[in-house]
Amino acid sequence: WTAMCLDAPFVCVGWYWLLALGTGVRPTAPATFTLFLSVWLAYLADRWFDSWRLQHPEQGAHRHRFVHTHRTSLGLLWVIVLVITVAQAVAFLDPSTLRRGFLLLAGVLIYFAAIHLGPPRLRAIIPREVATALILVLGILLFLKPQSIPLALSGALAALFATNCMLIGLWESTS
């Protein structure tokens, strides 16, 4: 479940459906599919890059050890899922959603460059958990009418996601 990076996509899709139904937006299959696979792609890529930095993989968290052990096959699966995700998004999402999605993708790529390629002091500016939470919330909001979601609710959801990420990190560091 967590080793295959499936927890975050399911959580995001659940929140998307809850917020959509709560604001009168009908959740769609293309939006659900794109959100699920996009979150999975980002989550696995983040973990994949983390696994390369492990000097002693046996000492890493189970999720990092799993990705480290199966890097090649997961990398191939990642490329296949990327192609499927882009093809279905282009075929089924409206141009406005695609434009916003590409803007979010630019933000995700900047995050990846900062976290995985940038100097350590750059990582200290915005904690990873906060950046991850903001990206996830923006991904969910991408498929909703942004004006229908109060800013306070978006902020609370981001705080919930960031807290969850921090608690997972704390739990993994003590186990």
Side-chain angles (χ1 to χ4, degrees):
W1 174 256
T2 58
M4 284 297 294
C5 308
L6 294 172
D7 49 337
F10 278 114
V11 167
C12 288
V13 165
W15 277 103
Y16 160 64
W17 273 70
L18 182 68
L19 293 172
L21 294 172
T23 58
V25 174
R26 184 170 173 244
T28 66
T32 300
F33 191 70
T34 302
L35 178 61
F36 184 91
L37 292 179
S38 296
V39 170
W40 183 83
L41 286 164
Y43 194 13
L44 180 59
D46 192 49
R47 196 168 293 162
W48 195 80
F49 283 113
D50 283 345
S51 77
W52 280 99
R53 283 193 299 203
L54 291 177
Q55 293 178 349
H56 303 285
E58 66 282 354
Q59 295 174 355
H62 171 69
R63 57 193 175 124
H64 292 105
R65 288 192 316 267
F66 179 84
V67 172
H68 186 271
T69 302
H70 303 286
R71 266 194 299 235
T72 304
S73 56
L74 287 171
L76 178 60
L77 177 62
W78 189 92
V79 170
I80 293 167
V81 172
L82 175 66
V83 169
I84 292 168
T85 304
V86 170
Q88 79 83 35
V90 169
F92 296 108
L93 298 179
D94 63 90
S96 173
T97 302
L98 280 174
R99 275 192 300 278
R100 291 191 318 270
F102 281 119
L103 286 173
L104 180 55
L105 175 60
V108 170
L109 293 175
I110 290 168
Y111 160 81
F112 271 93
I115 294 297
H116 296 290
L117 302 174
R121 71 179 186 285
L122 187 59
R123 289 181 224 136
I125 294 172
I126 298 179
R128 253 180 117 152
E129 298 83 1
V130 172
T132 299
L134 291 173
I135 289 168
L136 292 175
V137 169
L138 290 172
I140 293 166
L141 295 177
L142 181 72
F143 299 103
L144 300 170
K145 298 175 187 165
Q147 65 277 12
S148 67
I149 308 294
L151 187 57
L153 179 58
S154 299
L157 190 56
L160 177 67
F161 285 175
T163 302
N164 181 61
C165 291
M166 286 183 231
L167 288 173
I168 289 170
L170 180 63
W171 174 66
E172 286 181 338
S173 70
T174 59
S175 59

